[in-house]
Amino acid sequence: MNKKNTNPAESNTSYLRFRMFQFMWLVFILFHMAISSPGWSSVGNAFLNPSSYIFLFANILVIVFSLLSLFRPGNMFYFISALAFLTVVKIDALPSIPNHIVLTLIIHFTLFLSLILYWDTSLKIKERIGRWFDKTAPYLRVELLILYFFVVLHKINYDFFNPAVSCASELYADIAAFYPFFPQGQWIDQVIIFFTFLPELIIPVLLIIPSTRVLGVILGMLFHFMLSLHPNLYILSFTAEIFALYILFLPGKLIVEITEILQQKINRINIKRLAAGVSVFSLLMIAAYASMNVLVRGGFSVTMLKEDLPDFFLVTWIIWGLILITGVLIFFRNYLISASVETVPFFSLSWSPLLIFLLLAVFNGMNPYIGLKTTTNFAMFSNLKVDGAENNHMFISSAFQVADLQNDTVTLLETNHTYLQDYIEWNERITYFELSRFLFENRSEDIEVIFQRKGELYVINLAQHQADDFLESSWIARKMLAFRGVPQEGPTPCQW
């Protein structure tokens, strides 16, 4: 595009918005890498494990380039490298990735393609970034709204609104057990279901309406921060991602105002004194932690440190979250309900190749209803079950299913492997897709399993059978699809 079509004011606001988004996205990446380190720091085929030492090294590079980008935010190479390596390692880990990382991958591919489409080297760097992000941000906004749409849609099922098994009740019970000052009791279960479903329904609506976007951001931050107090740290990771995406919905005038205030505060900071203070504080905290372990546990070891890391990450997140929310309440108080006059439309989409990623996000959310994967489809903690006659959704039937993978389940009867034994103990069926994938991926082990499929009895011993003999799925299918266990009877329990 010609330079004369680039408005300097618009470009500057978009540039500042990108810088804020860049910072918050890097914070999300670092929190995610920290809490998921037990998975990606060892090679294997478990959750988030890299498939080889090459990908393990790539995980380390994610952290390296993220830190470099934080300290040198003006260097786009560092930022794009952090995103590229994170994308590579998460693709390698498929399908064993957290639900929200699917959205992360979609966002990264949107950014990569938009760089090819809209990166104008004829402009100065700030104008270049501003123009590029002007064109890209609308797609990122819609991708987040698509996520919210399916999160709400998946929860419209009978089991989510059943206090006895609802994920809302179960997650709150876990939080209340972790923080004793939260009220507990049967009376609160129905209330919690209501106050889980309603915000997820309202937040995207507030984000769409120009005059209520700031209110939507505040409500969203408070709601997701409360969820992030759960001991499952991947909810924390999801919240950090949501916080970064909320930057895209702030009015341009507010973006400029925040930047000016922060710049004034930063200019007053003595970097040397700050670094010295942080160093001293860190040393004191390390000394206090070591002393506490010696006094309470009678010693200090690396094993203890590993055991305490999740709590350390959660405490760090709580401090960071409270700082952010306090800042938001201070900075945003004059913008709660205000007419947002934007020079660039927030949802200005064109016939761009970027539309393919919006369609991909929609397709991902539709997967359970067309008979494909039942996890990593934005159905996190929804109690959704849509296979065959046991569909629990309130208005979407199983008639739309074009694939039979969900319905092709087997009942495990006997096995010598602990992973498969869990299905028997939990009284769950497993899809044949998942069973054959597991046996194929663990074909070097001496696994025995007896199961019933479509009324017939099967006995498999990997010492006597080739794993390929009963494998019906392709490599790409095993990479992209994953299925939860299916309860033999009764309501659908809460699953991630």
Side-chain angles (χ1 to χ4, degrees):
M1 183 179 287
N2 196 300
K3 287 185 183 180
K4 65 181 180 181
N5 293 329
T6 302
N7 186 306
E10 297 172 2
S11 178
N12 184 59
T13 301
S14 294
Y15 171 78
L16 297 176
R17 187 188 302 279
F18 168 72
R19 287 304 181 207
M20 292 180 65
F21 169 77
Q22 176 189 18
F23 173 78
M24 293 296 292
W25 197 255
L26 290 169
V27 170
F28 151 61
I29 290 175
L30 289 172
F31 266 114
H32 177 74
M33 296 303 292
I35 66 175
S36 63
S37 57
W40 62 256
S41 58
S42 59
V43 174
N45 59 3
F47 187 67
L48 286 180
N49 281 173
S51 60
S52 69
Y53 286 100
I54 294 175
F55 289 103
L56 191 154
F57 181 64
N59 276 282
I60 296 172
L61 290 179
V62 173
I63 299 174
V64 170
F65 280 109
S66 296
L67 291 172
L68 287 172
S69 185
L70 275 180
F71 287 104
R72 295 287 302 276
N75 191 320
M76 285 291 290
F77 173 78
Y78 293 152
F79 180 64
I80 298 303
S81 295
L83 269 56
F85 280 111
L86 181 64
T87 301
V88 167
V89 298
K90 295 309 176 185
I91 290 176
D92 175 61
L94 283 171
S96 299
I97 61 174
N99 222 307
H100 65 282
I101 297 300
V102 175
L103 176 65
T104 305
L105 292 175
I106 293 173
I107 286 172
H108 283 190
F109 281 116
T110 303
L111 291 171
F112 296 150
L113 182 56
S114 69
L115 280 171
I116 297 173
L117 296 174
Y118 305 125
W119 192 253
D120 190 344
T121 55
S122 68
L123 299 173
K124 294 180 180 179
I125 186 63
K126 287 189 177 182
E127 293 179 353
R128 189 186 311 168
I129 291 175
R131 176 186 180 276
W132 161 65
F133 209 58
D134 259 350
K135 298 286 188 179
T136 309
Y139 295 90
L140 305 185
R141 294 183 185 111
V142 175
E143 285 164 3
L144 176 60
L145 295 177
I146 290 171
L147 169 77
Y148 270 119
F149 173 81
F150 282 106
V151 165
V152 172
L153 179 67
H154 295 329
K155 284 184 171 67
I156 306 177
N157 66 75
Y158 295 103
D159 292 326
F160 181 80
F161 288 93
N162 176 1
V165 294
S166 175
C167 281
S169 303
E170 184 170 322
L171 293 179
Y172 178 79
D174 293 338
I175 294 174
F178 207 70
Y179 307 92
F181 51 84
F182 278 79
Q184 300 184 57
Q186 292 183 352
W187 64 272
I188 203 170
D189 287 344
Q190 196 67 54
V191 176
I192 289 300
I193 293 172
F194 176 78
F195 280 105
T196 299
F197 182 80
L198 190 61
E200 291 180 333
L201 178 65
I202 292 176
I203 290 168
V205 176
L206 296 177
L207 294 177
I208 291 172
I209 301 171
S211 61
T212 60
R213 282 178 185 144
V214 172
L215 189 61
V217 169
I218 293 175
L219 175 61
M221 291 187 71
L222 292 172
F223 172 72
H224 286 289
F225 180 72
M226 290 297 295
L227 292 180
S228 71
L229 299 179
H230 192 276
N232 182 341
L233 297 185
Y234 290 103
I235 299 178
L236 179 164
S237 169
F238 174 54
T239 303
E241 179 178 29
I242 291 291
F243 282 10
L245 291 171
Y246 281 163
I247 297 295
L248 305 175
F249 291 87
L250 296 179
K253 184 179 179 181
L254 182 55
I255 291 286
V256 174
E257 181 179 319
I258 294 173
T259 304
E260 291 174 350
I261 294 173
L262 291 177
Q263 193 62 52
Q264 293 173 4
K265 300 294 184 183
I266 292 172
N267 290 338
R268 296 175 186 173
I269 295 175
N270 186 310
I271 300 299
K272 291 184 179 180
R273 288 183 180 178
L274 177 64
V278 171
S279 300
V280 171
F281 177 77
S282 300
L283 290 173
L284 289 174
M285 291 300 293
I286 293 171
Y289 170 75
S291 300
M292 182 189 70
N293 275 278
V294 172
L295 292 174
V296 177
R297 298 179 177 178
F300 176 70
S301 66
V302 175
T303 302
M304 292 179 182
L305 178 62
K306 289 182 178 180
E307 292 174 353
D308 292 337
L309 274 179
D311 291 338
F312 170 77
F313 294 142
L314 184 56
V315 170
T316 303
W317 165 256
I318 291 174
I319 295 172
W320 171 245
L322 291 175
I323 291 173
L324 280 180
I325 291 173
T326 302
V328 162
L329 294 176
I330 293 173
F331 285 132
F332 298 5
R333 64 184 183 277
N334 296 327
Y335 290 85
L336 291 182
I337 301 291
S338 62
S340 177
V341 180
E342 300 295 330
T343 55
V344 178
F346 262 44
F347 303 105
S348 178
L349 306 179
S350 60
W351 288 105
S352 164
L354 296 181
L355 288 173
I356 191 172
F357 299 115
L358 302 187
L359 296 176
L360 184 61
V362 171
F363 175 73
N364 185 71
M366 288 298 298
N367 266 212
Y369 306 110
I370 59 177
L372 294 177
K373 62 180 181 175
T374 56
T375 186
T376 64
N377 50 30
F378 308 147
M380 50 269 213
F381 304 112
S382 67
N383 296 95
L384 182 66
K385 184 180 179 183
V386 288
D387 50 307
E390 299 174 359
N391 186 328
N392 70 359
H393 201 277
M394 290 184 178
F395 62 84
I396 299 181
S397 72
S398 300
F400 299 100
Q401 295 187 3
V402 296
D404 198 44
L405 297 177
Q406 290 181 25
N407 300 321
D408 186 6
T409 59
V410 307
T411 301
L412 300 178
L413 302 176
E414 293 182 35
T415 181
N416 64 345
H417 197 283
T418 55
Y419 173 80
L420 298 177
Q421 185 65 37
D422 286 340
Y423 282 90
I424 299 176
E425 294 180 2
W426 296 339
N427 199 30
E428 288 185 345
R429 302 192 303 275
I430 182 175
T431 61
Y432 184 75
F433 181 95
E434 288 294 344
L435 175 61
S436 61
R437 182 228 299 275
F438 175 80
L439 295 175
F440 180 76
E441 292 179 347
N442 296 273
R443 53 191 177 276
S444 61
E445 298 184 35
D446 185 15
I447 299 176
E448 297 178 7
V449 59
I450 302 174
F451 63 90
Q452 192 172 33
R453 181 193 184 196
K454 297 179 179 179
E456 295 187 22
L457 191 68
Y458 294 83
V459 179
I460 293 178
N461 186 326
L462 290 188
Q464 301 173 3
H465 300 84
Q466 293 291 324
D468 306 64
D469 293 343
F470 41 84
L471 186 68
E472 298 178 358
S473 57
S474 64
W475 176 86
I476 188 66
R478 294 194 300 276
K479 199 68 176 170
M480 302 303 295
L481 304 181
F483 298 86
R484 295 186 174 101
V486 181
Q488 295 275 16
E489 58 184 3
T492 305
C494 182
Q495 295 173 303
W496 71 273

